[in-house]
Amino acid sequence: MADAVAETKKSKPGWGTLLRSLRNPKSGYMALFGFASGLPFALFLGTLYAWLSEAEVELETMGVFSLIGLAYAFQFLWSPLIDKVSIPGFSKLGRRKQWIVPSQILLGVILIALSLSNPTNEAIGWFSLLAGIGALASATQDIAINAWRIDVADEEATLDILSTVYQMGYRLAALVGGALGLIIAARIGWPQTYLMMGAILLVIGIAGLFAPDSKAGENADGTITDELLVSLSKKGELQPAVRTRALAAVGLLWAVAIGTVLTFMYMSLAYAPEDRPNPTDFTVTYGPWIIVATVVIPAFIAGWLASQKAKGENVLTEDLPVKVAVSPLDHLYRALVMPLVEFVGRMGWSLVLILSLVLTYRICDAIWGTFAYPFYLGELEYTNDEVAFASKFFGVGAIIAGLAFGGYLITKFGRMATLTLGALIAALTNLLYADMAVGGANMQAASDAIGFSWFISTIAPFGSDALPRLTFTIMWENLAIGIAGAAYVAWLSSIVSKKYSAVQYALLSSLTLLVGTLGRGALGEMIEDRGYFDVFILTTLIGGVAVVLCVFEWIRVTRKGANSGVVAPDPQAVPAE
């Protein structure tokens, strides 16, 4: 009886569950990997521009570096390699580490090489090549790290906790590579700063050698990857001719998409500055078509294949010899088509709800981020120092606090409850900015009432009287972003299959990133025409749509758990598959 009571106390959700999970070595490695994921992103897409500006690199030339962002936006295009291909000489490291560790070491070497280079207009070619390779390596390790998190999650180091820890490491790296990087560079110089950052990544890469992982060629559950191919020869599987036609269609669509991105990159690097295509225009113009070609149409093809198999049409009536089924084409089918067939077949019509939620949950943050500094510096007329304090130092701390609280809420109340709460408060914080857009009287009054204004004026005496209300507003927004982010990444990780985690997660996360990019143009026009107040009201309403979708997804997940015999208000104990 005493043992049963002790076990009940041990399994009771809350801070105890959170702390036990954080003691698991997997959580420690997850924090390191999260930091390694966030540091290059900050260094290549933010801090690097400060270095180039200080080196007086021409703006037209600097525009080439915006290509780096494409590596992150379209990383799903090479995600099938991460799921399927083993790197010769590195496969013994593990299924995911064979990609993670070499990428981190390569990033460390590239950052050190950048520190030894001279980013002048005359030598910018070599510098930009290094940065481009670094961005590809960074995006590649992100794919593998996200898949690793899904693969290694267990009952103690849960998927929810690992997702939260990952984001904490990522946000901390953004602070180190961003604001702290600027401070360090002002004192010791840019080359020395990038040398230091490169050394950090090399250390993380070496430490990653000792992280747990499933063996290359095996899934997280221990089954041999080739057995997935062998299963294609079994009775009831789709006929080879049908698979080949589906592969031809999907392969052609992916080839066109990859060719389009490569052509754009070549034109941007090889053409004269005045003739180079604009990266934002490219993403807005071609981004939707790339998504249609690589996600939407293949999803319809995958749905048809899944329905054919479910109906018993166009399937094998007897087992085939293995050598007949396992062909080079089937390896491509395994990499490109099977992840979609599995996902569409498992989700069915729920896929519409899931994609709608993916497209709307973080859209406010994704769109608003581009206009944050124009709003702070231009509309509200704060100084650079004030904005840096409120958004970079205090703001990042608030996000990390929000992530920690979000992790606690997930363990206490469940993933879906936290996901819905995160969507609600993230939407409502747009109303705080709406108040700021018309003077911020309510935010100032609230800040004064709880003593926050006194606190900020004490720790930041350099700011104006208006700094407390900006910091107060950013604090609440970032707390909400932290809670919502912890739940969103955990939910996104939970709906993908461990067998195809790299491809499925990369596709879904890329949708989240691209939809924000596509909406910025329209939002910018609305700011010009209507002003910031109306924009914040609109983003609140968009956030409200996400809340409604979260409720429907919560209902779907709860019913799924009930139908599968799982008695729980939230499926966090259910395997990701």
Side-chain angles (χ1 to χ4, degrees):
M1 182 67 179
D3 292 341
V5 173
E7 182 63 28
T8 300
K9 290 181 179 180
K10 181 180 178 180
S11 61
K12 185 179 181 180
W15 290 113
T17 302
L18 182 62
L19 293 175
R20 283 193 298 273
S21 299
L22 293 178
R23 289 200 300 265
N24 190 299
K26 293 178 181 178
S27 299
Y29 285 113
M30 188 75 268
L32 283 178
F33 288 164
F35 189 91
S37 182
L39 189 61
F41 189 86
L43 293 175
F44 288 132
L45 290 183
T47 312
L48 190 64
Y49 288 95
W51 187 2
L52 295 175
S53 299
E54 191 173 299
E56 298 182 351
V57 174
E58 297 176 357
L59 290 177
E60 293 86 355
T61 303
M62 202 182 300
V64 175
F65 283 84
S66 59
L67 286 172
I68 292 173
L70 292 180
Y72 297 95
F74 297 108
Q75 60 179 251
F76 66 89
L77 292 176
W78 63 93
S79 60
L81 294 176
I82 313 301
D83 247 352
K84 184 67 181 69
V85 176
S86 293
I87 305 177
F90 292 93
S91 59
K92 291 184 179 179
L93 293 177
R95 186 185 182 205
R96 306 304 182 188
K97 282 165 51 183
Q98 66 173 330
W99 290 94
I100 295 173
V101 173
S103 294
Q104 291 171 349
I105 293 176
L106 177 60
L107 281 166
V109 171
I110 286 174
L111 290 175
I112 293 172
L114 286 174
S115 73
L116 302 175
S117 304
N118 186 18
T120 61
N121 287 305
E122 293 75 19
I124 198 65
W126 170 248
F127 198 84
S128 61
L129 177 62
L130 286 173
I133 295 173
L136 288 172
S138 176
T140 299
Q141 79 148 349
D142 288 353
I143 298 170
I145 286 173
N146 286 322
W148 180 88
R149 179 182 68 247
I150 295 166
D151 288 354
V152 304
D154 56 31
E155 293 182 357
E156 185 173 287
T158 64
L159 186 59
D160 300 318
I161 298 301
L162 291 180
S163 299
T164 301
V165 171
Y166 165 79
Q167 290 189 87
M168 286 182 171
Y170 191 97
R171 296 291 183 176
L172 181 60
L175 178 62
V176 172
L180 189 59
L182 293 173
I183 294 173
I184 295 173
R187 286 157 176 78
I188 66 175
W190 286 110
Q192 292 80 2
T193 301
Y194 271 70
L195 179 65
M196 181 187 304
M197 300 298 177
I200 291 174
L201 278 174
L202 286 177
V203 171
I204 294 176
I206 294 172
L209 292 170
F210 304 97
D213 197 3
S214 57
K215 295 180 181 179
E218 293 185 2
N219 296 308
D221 59 4
T223 59
I224 306 299
T225 301
D226 284 345
E227 289 185 358
L228 294 172
L229 296 171
V230 173
S231 67
L232 295 177
S233 65
K234 302 300 182 183
K235 180 181 178 181
E237 292 292 333
L238 293 168
Q239 295 177 0
V242 175
R243 297 199 305 266
T244 301
R245 288 195 293 270
L247 174 63
V250 174
L252 178 62
L253 291 167
W254 276 65
V256 170
I258 294 173
T260 301
V261 174
L262 292 177
T263 300
F264 170 75
M265 295 181 70
Y266 171 78
M267 293 170 62
S268 299
L269 294 172
Y271 286 17
E274 61 272 13
D275 297 326
R276 290 171 185 159
N278 183 279
T280 302
D281 290 343
F282 171 82
T283 304
V284 171
T285 303
Y286 292 97
W289 293 110
I290 291 175
I291 291 297
V292 168
T294 56
V295 180
V296 179
I297 297 178
F300 279 109
I301 294 174
W304 180 80
L305 292 174
S307 67
Q308 291 292 293
K309 186 176 178 180
K311 295 176 182 177
E313 299 177 0
N314 291 313
V315 297
L316 296 172
T317 56
E318 59 182 13
D319 292 351
L320 291 178
V322 172
K323 64 180 181 180
V324 175
V326 182
S327 66
L329 289 179
D330 283 311
H331 282 276
L332 290 175
Y333 182 84
R334 156 73 172 86
L336 284 179
V337 183
M338 287 181 71
L340 289 171
V341 172
E342 190 281 335
F343 192 68
V344 174
R346 176 162 49 89
M347 294 300 175
W349 286 107
S350 299
L351 184 63
V352 176
L353 172 60
I354 289 171
L355 291 181
S356 298
L357 185 53
V358 167
L359 292 173
T360 57
Y361 194 83
R362 303 303 300 272
I363 189 172
C364 296
D365 302 334
I367 295 177
W368 158 241
T370 303
F371 304 102
Y373 284 112
F375 178 64
Y376 300 148
L377 299 172
E379 182 76 8
L380 301 183
E381 298 182 345
Y382 284 96
T383 66
N384 287 335
D385 287 344
E386 289 175 325
V387 173
F389 170 80
S391 65
K392 293 297 183 182
F393 288 100
F394 203 92
V396 170
I399 287 181
I400 293 175
L403 288 168
F405 188 57
Y408 163 74
L409 291 176
I410 291 173
T411 62
K412 186 70 175 179
F413 302 105
R415 184 186 302 137
M416 294 310 303
T418 309
L419 185 75
T420 307
L421 174 65
L424 177 61
I425 59 178
L428 292 178
T429 54
N430 286 279
L431 297 178
L432 307 184
Y433 281 100
D435 180 69
M436 290 290 289
V438 293
N442 292 321
M443 299 311 300
Q444 185 67 51
S447 177
D448 293 341
I450 66 172
F452 188 83
S453 298
W454 170 84
F455 172 71
I456 294 300
S457 62
T458 302
I459 65 173
F462 61 86
S464 65
D465 293 339
L467 177 60
R469 65 172 175 260
L470 176 66
T471 309
F472 190 68
T473 304
I474 291 177
M475 177 191 71
W476 287 111
E477 182 205 24
N478 286 8
L479 281 170
I481 288 175
I483 295 171
Y488 181 71
V489 173
W491 170 74
L492 207 62
S493 301
S494 73
I495 62 176
V496 304
S497 167
K498 287 187 177 182
K499 294 178 182 178
Y500 312 102
S501 52
V503 177
Q504 292 178 356
Y505 190 91
L507 282 170
L508 293 173
S509 60
S510 292
L511 285 176
T512 304
L513 180 64
L514 283 174
V515 71
T517 304
L518 299 177
R520 288 168 192 162
L523 196 68
E525 292 180 6
M526 184 176 179
I527 291 174
E528 291 289 338
D529 296 338
R530 303 289 298 272
Y532 281 97
F533 179 84
D534 287 349
V535 166
F536 289 125
I537 299 300
L538 174 63
T539 53
T540 301
L541 295 176
I542 295 174
V545 173
V547 174
V548 174
L549 292 173
C550 282
V551 172
F552 283 120
E553 172 65 0
W554 192 352
I555 294 171
R556 183 194 72 84
V557 169
T558 303
R559 287 179 176 176
K560 178 184 176 183
N563 293 336
S564 62
V566 178
V567 183
D570 185 89
Q572 64 188 46
V574 180
E577 294 180 46

